[in-house]
Amino acid sequence: MELVNTIMGKRQRKYRATYRERVAGWYNGWLHVMIIYLAGSIALYIYGANTVNVQWWEWLALPFGFVSYQTSEYILHMYVMHRPRKNVVLRALYIRHTLMHHQFFTKEEMRFADHKDWRVTFFPPFTMLGLTLLSIIPSLAAGIIISENVGWLLMAAFTASYMFYELIHFCCHIDDNWLIRNMPLINTARRHHTAHHDHQLMMSVNMGIGTALPDWMMGTSDLDRGFWGHLFNGYDESHVRPGLQKSFNAAGTRPVPNRQAAERN
Ligand SMILES: [Zn+2]
Ligand SMILES: [Zn+2]
């Protein structure tokens, strides 16, 4: 099944057809999402049930965990998912993201045709297990050094952040509608991520998916705005840096920091 009203080019249309041929016939996007969110909800319940008499300062583990996750996601996207590495796991992430996800969706056509296309956006269900294992290391350390509650809350923050990431990325690839157009954070993420799907910019611009803030901090955003502007920009294109695409070489691999690019224009 393919979208009818679309401006996608031949190459993208062909890639989408090829990708769909490779997806197993039994794949069901709804089941995929259910597994991720059911596993995540059970994990969150377990972490919550293990906290006892949480002190006010211990709650700070939640925003700290969220920011740490956003930063890690940005680094992974910037330095692994768009850069082929020798390590088998890291290379698989590159192939799945740059060579599949970015071919399936371009700035011309960002939408799924149906739930079977969700396969190219949601990480496989075992990602939750991998994330949990990775989360144990810093959470256990915090649990021993600071307090047990902080350890459990960190685990919860990492899991919830991953669920948040999947939700936002999913919303970036669904059809436009009144609700998401007016939903703060989601509308901002949609414009931000659509710009990232421009093949000329994808290697180094708008690498934050959950929020645009890491791009604002690192100077890799396509917007010339401050903190609040990056949080609540919505669909507004009036703050996009002019001539941004010219700042990149033909392969789109050489970023010029925004400030330099802006000065040049
Ligand atoms: Zn995407
Ligand atoms: Zn990307």
Side-chain angles (χ1 to χ4, degrees):
M1 181 181 161
E2 187 51 280
L3 296 162
V4 180
N5 297 318
T6 174
I7 57 163
M8 80 174 98
K10 262 190 200 160
R11 186 177 160 190
Q12 185 180 1
R13 185 181 290 275
K14 197 168 165 228
Y15 180 78
R16 284 165 70 110
T18 309
Y19 182 89
R20 286 176 186 129
E21 275 169 22
R22 283 193 242 131
V23 174
W26 54 263
Y27 175 80
N28 184 302
W30 293 103
L31 184 66
H32 188 169
V33 175
M34 223 178 68
I35 293 170
I36 292 174
Y37 282 86
L38 188 67
S41 302
I42 293 171
L44 287 179
Y45 175 78
I46 293 170
Y47 305 147
N50 275 286
T51 57
V52 185
N53 196 17
V54 182
Q55 304 298 302
W56 70 265
W57 58 268
E58 290 177 322
W59 290 112
L60 295 175
L62 291 179
F64 177 80
F66 182 75
V67 171
S68 306
Y69 181 93
Q70 296 300 320
T71 310
S72 309
E73 178 205 303
Y74 174 91
I75 292 169
L76 191 74
H77 193 181
M78 175 72 98
Y79 298 106
V80 175
M81 291 164 93
H82 281 284
R83 307 276 187 278
R85 303 283 176 191
K86 281 190 184 135
N87 179 287
V88 182
V89 177
L90 301 186
R91 197 173 178 86
L93 282 170
Y94 164 79
I95 291 170
R96 194 176 187 283
H97 186 73
T98 302
L99 304 186
M100 293 181 175
H101 184 76
H102 273 277
Q103 307 308 314
F104 198 95
F105 300 108
T106 66
K107 73 175 182 3
E108 284 76 31
E109 185 50 84
M110 286 284 283
R111 298 172 297 165
F112 304 109
D114 66 10
H115 71 92
K116 289 197 175 273
D117 290 349
W118 299 355
R119 175 76 183 79
V120 75
T121 293
F122 285 107
F123 277 107
F126 61 77
T127 307
M128 183 67 88
L129 184 66
L131 176 88
T132 305
L133 294 174
L134 282 174
S135 305
I136 287 175
I137 304 159
S139 304
L140 191 66
I144 294 168
I145 298 166
I146 306 171
S147 78
E148 273 187 37
N149 281 340
V150 168
W152 288 113
L153 289 172
L154 265 186
M155 287 294 288
F158 293 140
T159 300
S161 298
Y162 170 62
M163 291 160 80
F164 174 76
Y165 158 84
E166 290 286 29
L167 172 71
I168 295 284
H169 195 195
F170 173 74
C171 288
C172 289
H173 291 291
I174 59 175
D175 209 350
D176 196 22
N177 63 54
W178 181 89
L179 187 66
I180 53 170
R181 199 180 311 132
N182 292 289
M183 185 86 80
L185 303 182
I186 288 183
N187 53 13
T188 298
R190 275 172 66 85
R191 192 216 62 82
H192 192 76
H193 192 56
T194 300
H196 171 69
H197 270 275
D198 181 333
H199 281 183
Q200 271 189 289
L201 302 180
M202 70 174 181
M203 302 297 279
S204 308
V205 170
N206 293 6
M207 309 308 278
I209 295 176
T211 77
L213 293 179
D215 287 298
W216 167 70
M217 284 195 312
M218 301 304 290
T220 51
S221 169
D222 69 333
L223 291 182
D224 186 13
R225 298 200 80 176
F227 176 88
W228 295 109
H230 270 85
L231 213 49
F232 298 113
N233 181 76
Y235 285 7
D236 189 357
E237 295 277 348
S238 62
H239 297 273
V240 173
R241 293 175 189 278
L244 191 64
Q245 282 158 326
K246 288 185 218 139
S247 308
F248 292 77
N249 63 20
T253 53
R254 184 129 48 88
V256 174
N258 277 339
R259 284 176 200 97
Q260 287 175 32
E263 279 160 17
R264 210 179 278 174
N265 289 300

